[in-house]
Amino acid sequence: MAVKLLLIALLSLASCSAILASDPSPLQDFCVADLHSKVFVNGFPCKNANDVRAEDFFRSGLDRPGDTNNYLRSNVTPVNVNQIPGLNTLGISLVRIDYGPNGLNPPHTHPRATEVLAVLEGELYVGFVTSNLNGGGNRLFTKNLRKGDVFVFPQGLIHFQFNRGKTNAIAFAGLSSQNPGVITIANAVFGSRPPISDDVLAKAFQVDKNLVDWLQAQFWTDNNY
């Protein structure tokens, strides 16, 4: 009996953890985010329903390409709760990604969302890396995508897209969070403020501290606008 009760408790805890780990579920038709509220909650407080307008569910401009005139030759245009307040509590968002020739959306993660990417124009080399395996190491999954192809990046895993072609590429991606977040690996590790100790990074990457210092002195391009 004690074992059964423990098992039930563990299953209940796992279920509760899974529920709490996702975006808050809506308890009414909508909860348009009050982006100017001074109340701090997990997500955003609701705007008074009497003040909600159609514009709270609307965004234009995704027909226009993003500016890829940067070192990475790519541009991510987000459409999340910060751009469309009506997405609050709905657990979904969108991005448009533009890639110039040899454009890269560098290795990054979305801590709060799974991503489904669809290629509209051009070709992309994409992939993601698993978390640490029990036997050691990490497994890489890659695919060459063409117009009309779709690929999934599981939540929290490091992934990337690279335009190997000589023409522009366009992709749209849906994400399973109103605010998926993004951590660009190189920027976070070498461009944080204040910087991570070069002793820590030199040991972690097994390189000389002078190389770490040089990397930390570089300008790390952010292609998310």
Side-chain angles (χ1 to χ4, degrees), residues 31-46:
C31 172
V32 172
D34 183 350
L35 300 178
H36 304 292
S37 173
K38 295 182 180 180
V39 177
F40 186 79
V41 296
N42 183 27
F44 292 96
C46 302

Side-chain angles (χ1 to χ4, degrees), residues 22-160:
S22 61
D23 282 6
S25 298
L27 298 177
Q28 57 275 326
D29 288 346
F30 50 77
C31 172
V32 172
D34 183 350
L35 300 178
H36 304 292
S37 173
K38 295 182 180 180
V39 177
F40 186 79
V41 296
N42 183 27
F44 292 96
C46 302
K47 181 189 290 188
N48 188 314
N50 293 327
D51 297 329
V52 172
R53 299 291 181 267
E55 286 72 22
D56 292 317
F57 304 92
F58 173 77
R59 182 79 172 183
S60 64
L62 285 188
D63 59 319
R64 297 191 294 269
D67 182 8
T68 59
N69 186 26
N70 56 58
Y71 182 80
L72 295 172
R73 302 290 296 159
S74 68
N75 183 295
V76 179
T77 304
V79 182
N80 56 49
V81 70
N82 295 292
Q83 289 78 39
I84 300 183
L87 286 172
N88 194 37
T89 76
L90 298 185
I92 192 170
S93 59
L94 177 74
V95 294
R96 170 180 172 143
I97 315 173
D98 291 277
Y99 315 80
N102 293 313
L104 172 69
N105 193 13
H108 63 281
T109 74
H110 301 292
R112 295 180 289 275
T114 292
E115 176 179 345
V116 181
L117 179 135
V119 179
L120 272 66
E121 296 291 343
E123 299 182 7
L124 294 173
Y125 170 68
V126 306
F128 69 84
V129 180
T130 66
S131 55
N132 297 350
L133 301 175
N134 289 334
N138 307 79
R139 187 176 177 187
L140 172 65
F141 292 85
T142 64
K143 191 73 175 176
N144 290 304
L145 304 183
R146 298 185 178 185
K147 181 178 179 179
D149 290 345
V150 176
F151 197 79
V152 175
F153 304 107
Q155 180 173 340
L157 298 187
I158 296 173
H159 59 284
F160 61 87

